[in-house]
Amino acid sequence: MIPASSLNNTLHSSTQTPLALAQALAAQLAIAPNDWHRLKGDRRAQAQQQITAALVFLLNDQPQEALTHLQQAVGWLDRSLKAPPCPTHGSPTQISLKD
């Protein structure tokens, strides 16, 4: 966790807008494709990614999109959501041919 004094110094000395700060945080907390397998079940990482995305949408005046991401974050935190299976590791589709 970032100490409050450090955070306050960053916010006060920064000339960035709240949107730019939120976008930077969202980029920092986004799960990269090459980290997906490692973090797919990490509820904290998944929730952080969704919450920061929600903040970016809210600051862009898109409250419905923000709400969708907040609901997903809640799902990760209350364990009602889980990661989907990896599309590259799913069972192969079986094709049956009829004569």
Side-chain angles (χ1 to χ4, degrees), residues 5-91:
S5 61
S6 175
L7 184 59
N8 286 336
N9 289 341
T10 301
L11 292 175
H12 290 298
S13 66
S14 175
T15 58
Q16 293 183 329
T17 65
L19 178 59
L21 291 169
Q23 289 170 328
L25 183 59
Q28 188 88 53
L29 295 176
I31 297 173
N34 57 342
D35 289 332
W36 188 85
H37 283 98
R38 185 172 56 86
L39 297 174
K40 72 177 184 177
D42 185 329
R43 295 187 173 285
R44 183 173 176 254
Q46 294 285 354
Q48 287 174 344
Q49 177 176 253
Q50 294 300 322
I51 289 169
T52 55
L55 182 57
V56 170
F57 280 112
L58 187 59
L59 291 170
N60 273 315
D61 198 27
Q62 296 178 358
Q64 195 56 46
E65 286 293 324
L67 184 57
T68 298
H69 286 278
L70 286 172
Q71 289 167 337
Q72 287 189 3
V74 168
W76 280 107
L77 294 173
D78 71 8
R79 300 185 176 277
S80 64
L81 256 179
K82 64 179 185 174
C86 177
T88 61
H89 291 102
S91 59

